[in-house]
Structure formats: C-alpha cells, structure tokens
Amino acid sequence: MTSKRIAVCQMTSVADKEANLNVVSKLVSDAVQDNVQMIFFPEACDFICDNKQDTLNSAESLLTGSTVKKYRELAAKNNVWLSMGGVHEKDEYNPNKLFNTHIIINSNGEIVQTYRKVHLFDVEIPEKSIRLKESDFCTPGKEIVAPVDSPIGKIGLSICYDMRFPELSTALSILGAEILTYPSAFTYATGLAHWHILLRSRAIENQCYVIAAAQTGHHNKKRRSYGHGLIVDPWGEVLADCGDSAPNYQVAEITDRIAEVRRNMPVFQHRRPDIYSLYTLSLRNTLLDEHSDKTTPVENQTHHQTSGPTNVFGHVRVPESCVFYKSDLTYAFVNLRCVTPGHVLVAPIRLVERNKDLTDEESDDFYRTVRLVQNLMEKVHKTTSCTVTIQDGPDAGQTVRHLHCHVMPRKKGDFIENDLIYLELAKHDQIKPGHPSKPARRLEDMEKEAAMLREQLKKMAEGS
C-alpha cells in the first residue's frame, strides 16, 4: 500500500496578522521535519478581528496582498503543498464585502486552485442575544470547484459551515474527490454538539478521507472556537485529533484504504440515478482569472487550436472549418461537447451577449438561420423533433457571453424524462476530473461533421 504523509494544523488566530503569520511559519517549519507532503491550515488562518470594519480593512487581494505572498514563499522554501483554508479575500468590486477563500498552493509556491465559501454561517437567536451573520461582510461563492490533483490525491474544497450540506460533499465525491477538506473556525457550542459527528458522517457516506484543520480557544472577548482539528479515514475512523491546544499539528498517512473501503462496500455502484440524481449546475475546474499569475488573453484562447481562420464566440474562437453555415449576420457551427447527437449552435457573427442586444436586422437573420438549421438537423438525423433553446443570461445557465441557440435533435426515449435534457445542458461543458460527462471532441471529427452538414445544406438548396 502506498502512503502519503499529511499534517493538520490548529491555531488561535487574533487580529494581529504578523503574529498569526509567525504561528503559520513555525507550524510549517516544524511539520516539514516530519516529512509531510502537504499541510492543512484552518479557516481565518490570516486573522480574526472582533468587528466588521476591522475585518474589511484587513482583507487583502490574493495576488497582490502580502499575506498570501508569504504563504507562497513558505510553500516554495519548504518544498511542501499548503492548504490555507478560508483567508479573507478583498472584494475589489465591493468595499463593504469580502470573500472567504480556500487556497491550495503547490510546492513551487504557485496558487493551484481557490474556492470561495458557498454557504455562509448566518445564525440569529434573539432570545439568547446571539447574532452571527457572515453575510454582513462576506459575499458567497457561486460555484463548486472540481477536485484538485495533488501529491496526496484528489482534494475536494469546502470551508467550515459547508460540512452541514451533504449535497456539496456528495457532488465532490461524484466528481472524483478522494479527500474532503473542511478548514474551520467552528464555534465552541456547535462544535461540542456536532463537530465529530458531522465530519465522520461526511467521511463515511462519501468513502473519502476528511481533513478539517481548526481554530481553537478564545480569539477575543466575543469569539471562541472549538478546536479538535481532525483527520478521518474513509471508514469513519479518526486518525488524528488536535484536541483543544494551540498551536499544534498532528500527522497521519493517506493510504490506499479508500480503494479497499469502496471495493468492500461499493455504494457508488449502488446509487440509483434512474430514481434520483445529483446534478452539479455550477462547476469550475480552472483558476479564476483574478487568482492567476498566468492569465491567458482572451484573443489567444481558441475553441480548438488551429492555424486557420476563426470566428469570435464570446471568450473563445471557433475554427472556420467547424462552421457549416454562414450568412452576412449569423453563423452555425458544430459543438465541442454535445448533449445529443447532432447538437449544434447558432450565433450572431457580431459579439452580442443577450437576445435583447440584437438589431432588428440581426434578429430576423438569426431566427431565420435557427429555422434553417433545425430543418437540416431533423433531416440528417431522421427525426421530427428538436429541442431549440437559448440560455439568455448567467442565471439562465449562459456560460459563454455571446448569444447562441442550441439546436438538439430529439428521438423518443433519448432521456428518461424529456425535461432532463435541460439539466444535462446545464452541465454539458463542465469537465469532471477523471471521468468527464461530456469530453471534448477531436477537431478532425468536428471538421468532418461540419463538411457533411455543408454538403447536406447544398443538397437541400438544390432540391428546393
């Protein structure tokens, strides 16, 4: 059995960022002496203030701020991967809010991935004079992040309160996570009641390792954390518990235990997607532009790398060889990932984000093209039905900021329920590590399909 050594850390953050950084530095330097490959730190490892304004004033940008820069230097200096759970990231567009962001840093000091906390801890009990509202100063994240490849396995990113939502952990395990992380600053009262139970449950039901670095003790007069940073194995056994002292760390090994547990009790095979399912509707597998040192200019991104002419399609470009119809104002092209066989797209040539942004002339030509393409696809795929739909705006599922219409030939029984096609459409271009639901097609296959469709259009025109 192969094993990887990890350290889970515990600390008591205060409002002094320099003091907290000294604690982090000492924990890293000590833990690497135990030959660990990755070290996990808790939520708010950068600081904990006792009021909203000081919290906002202390927040920093991930790329330009000094705190994360020092974390990155620590990782590179010590040749170790770091999980910095829940730092206070400045919201550049809203001075009254910040993001609670989990950062994975590799042994070269590079930011590999980030996750902005999705579930915010909002609790108000007037009769007990309790009011804890993370939403007062924090903006929630908008997406699940695909599990991250690391030297210890595929890591699913979460933060603290997220552990109370099993849908998130199940989605991450379905996406291939082997390790679930919950860096936390759990309140003492809730930790005493639920901490061990929740974390062991997430490990057992998903057959994953769970790593939960923790804050502990009194941070100020208003706030006390529970502690007990944990490492739990896929059978629910606690491998390490940091207790309530700080600063300290505990070491454990990640082994092939996960394969053994999943083989002996194959719950993933026993799931019934014909009866129920869990769709991840907002998934990100790349680093946010604002967190990347290596942002690729939009003009250099392509639908498929090609030396030939291309067409603008939002932030990517579509090779001309994949276009099968073009008018003066509209073009139609084959799809990189298809929900159904023959799933193609129609878009205005001009970069237009929303349906309402079309001119009258563009609108007439656009919908005339949609009708033409639908007729073509029904003829080619020998069907009398199509799903023709536009996801108009981000809340409707639009991921490419360029108006486009999906034309999808339909046949009886192609989905268990007809409307499930919309759920599949919502995730069809989201790559799942290890087992993508809709892998990108080869350029040569797309070009071949486009050539065939051009020929069929020519025959249709000759026969009319």
Side-chain angles (χ1 to χ4, degrees):
M1 297 177 72
T2 59
S3 65
K4 302 101 176 179
R5 289 173 64 82
I6 61 168
V8 61
C9 295
Q10 191 157 281
M11 58 190 292
T12 308
S13 290
V14 293
D16 185 338
K17 289 196 282 188
E18 191 63 32
N20 299 327
L21 182 63
N22 289 337
V23 171
V24 169
S25 300
K26 181 68 163 56
L27 286 168
V28 169
S29 62
D30 288 349
V32 296
Q33 300 305 310
D34 280 319
N35 298 314
V36 299
Q37 292 167 276
M38 190 161 184
I39 306 172
F40 293 79
F41 283 90
E43 181 182 30
C45 52
D46 51 352
F47 63 86
I48 291 180
C49 297
D50 65 0
N51 65 80
K52 173 183 174 180
Q53 198 54 54
D54 285 350
T55 298
L56 291 172
N57 291 343
S58 299
E60 301 177 12
S61 163
L62 296 197
L63 284 186
T64 61
S66 62
T67 301
V68 174
K69 179 182 178 183
K70 291 174 182 175
Y71 293 158
R72 296 173 68 178
E73 291 171 352
L74 276 173
K77 176 183 176 182
N78 293 278
N79 191 34
V80 68
W81 281 58
L82 297 178
S83 162
M84 310 308 297
V87 304
H88 299 80
E89 179 194 355
K90 183 178 181 181
D91 186 341
E92 303 292 349
Y93 299 99
N94 186 348
N96 296 314
K97 292 289 179 76
L98 52 80
F99 296 104
N100 189 343
T101 305
H102 186 168
I103 312 170
I104 300 295
I105 302 171
N106 68 17
S107 55
N108 294 322
E110 300 165 330
I111 296 176
V112 174
Q113 190 53 280
T114 58
Y115 161 77
R116 289 168 170 169
K117 189 176 182 181
V118 169
H119 301 103
L120 301 185
F121 185 58
D122 280 7
V123 175
E124 192 164 12
I125 310 173
E127 59 270 24
K128 293 187 177 181
S129 299
I130 294 176
R131 187 180 191 277
L132 296 169
K133 289 246 179 181
E134 195 172 7
S135 62
D136 282 348
F137 60 89
C138 194
T139 301
K142 295 182 178 180
E143 58 216 354
I144 294 174
V145 174
V148 180
D149 285 315
S150 80
I152 65 167
K154 291 182 179 294
I155 301 174
L157 304 183
S158 305
I159 299 173
C160 198
Y161 188 53
D162 285 334
M163 76 176 69
R164 292 187 181 272
F165 301 87
E167 302 93 329
L168 175 57
S169 61
T170 303
L172 288 169
S173 67
I174 289 173
L175 291 167
E178 298 163 318
I179 300 158
L180 301 174
T181 54
Y182 296 101
S184 299
F186 230 65
T187 65
Y188 185 81
T190 55
L192 196 62
H194 300 148
W195 175 256
H196 286 78
I197 296 170
L198 284 170
L199 291 171
R200 293 186 67 202
S201 296
R202 298 296 83 85
I204 293 166
E205 67 198 7
N206 294 293
Q207 299 179 321
C208 289
Y209 281 92
V210 164
I211 303 172
Q215 293 283 347
T216 191
H218 293 274
H219 308 282
N220 50 55
K221 292 180 179 179
K222 299 179 181 178
R223 187 165 176 180
R224 181 186 182 188
S225 293
Y226 178 65
H228 292 274
L230 294 182
I231 301 173
V232 186
D233 82 357
W235 191 246
E237 180 182 351
V238 175
L239 302 181
D241 187 330
C242 291
D244 56 9
S245 64
N248 82 71
Y249 70 91
Q250 295 290 321
V251 174
E253 292 188 346
I254 301 294
T255 71
D256 293 334
R257 174 79 162 144
I258 188 170
E260 176 189 338
V261 170
R262 291 183 177 182
R263 181 178 62 251
N264 293 341
M265 189 175 290
V267 296
F268 286 86
Q269 297 175 33
H270 296 159
R271 282 199 169 103
R272 290 293 304 277
D274 56 323
I275 296 175
Y276 58 82
S277 190
L278 183 67
Y279 287 90
T280 302
L281 298 180
S282 185
L283 175 71
R284 173 167 58 82
N285 70 332
T286 56
L287 196 60
L288 291 170
D289 284 349
E290 57 265 43
H291 296 164
S292 174
D293 294 316
K294 305 172 183 177
T295 302
T296 303
V298 168
E299 59 269 21
N300 292 336
Q301 299 175 2
T302 59
H303 189 69
H304 255 303
Q305 295 297 326
T306 178
S307 58
T310 59
N311 301 268
V312 173
F313 183 50
H315 61 286
V316 298
R317 300 190 71 89
V318 177
E320 183 68 24
S321 57
C322 293
V323 174
F324 61 88
Y325 174 80
K326 183 180 282 189
S327 67
D328 291 338
L329 302 172
T330 309
Y331 72 111
F333 53 100
V334 297
N335 203 356
L336 186 64
R337 296 182 176 88
C338 298
V339 171
T340 66
H343 177 182
V344 296
L345 303 175
V346 177
I349 290 174
R350 184 171 68 92
L351 179 52
V352 173
E353 183 173 347
R354 298 287 307 281
N355 191 29
K356 63 184 176 63
D357 299 325
L358 292 171
T359 66
D360 289 345
E361 186 180 9
E362 286 173 326
S363 179
D364 289 344
D365 192 74
F366 180 77
Y367 287 100
R368 191 181 303 114
T369 301
V370 169
R371 290 176 59 193
L372 172 67
V373 169
Q374 180 178 351
N375 289 337
L376 169 67
M377 302 316 292
E378 289 185 3
K379 176 179 174 62
V380 169
H381 289 273
K382 297 180 174 58
T383 183
T384 58
S385 301
C386 271
T387 291
V388 180
T389 186
I390 295 172
Q391 296 165 294
D392 197 24
D395 293 336
Q398 184 180 17
T399 56
V400 178
R401 297 176 65 175
H402 189 147
L403 174 68
H404 56 284
C405 181
H406 299 264
V407 178
M408 296 173 282
R410 299 295 304 276
K411 293 184 177 181
K412 185 176 182 179
D414 55 5
F415 283 84
I416 295 170
E417 294 181 15
N418 265 325
D419 284 353
L420 287 179
I421 192 171
Y422 297 108
L423 291 174
E424 188 65 25
L425 180 63
K427 65 185 181 69
H428 83 289
D429 60 350
Q430 297 170 353
I431 302 173
K432 297 180 179 181
H435 50 285
S437 60
K438 294 295 177 184
R441 299 166 65 199
R442 298 187 308 166
L443 178 59
E444 50 265 43
D445 292 337
M446 296 171 65
E447 291 175 330
K448 184 177 179 180
E449 181 187 12
M452 179 272 292
L453 292 174
R454 286 193 292 270
E455 185 62 29
Q456 290 298 320
L457 268 178
K458 183 179 177 181
K459 290 180 180 179
M460 282 176 57
E462 291 171 349
S464 61

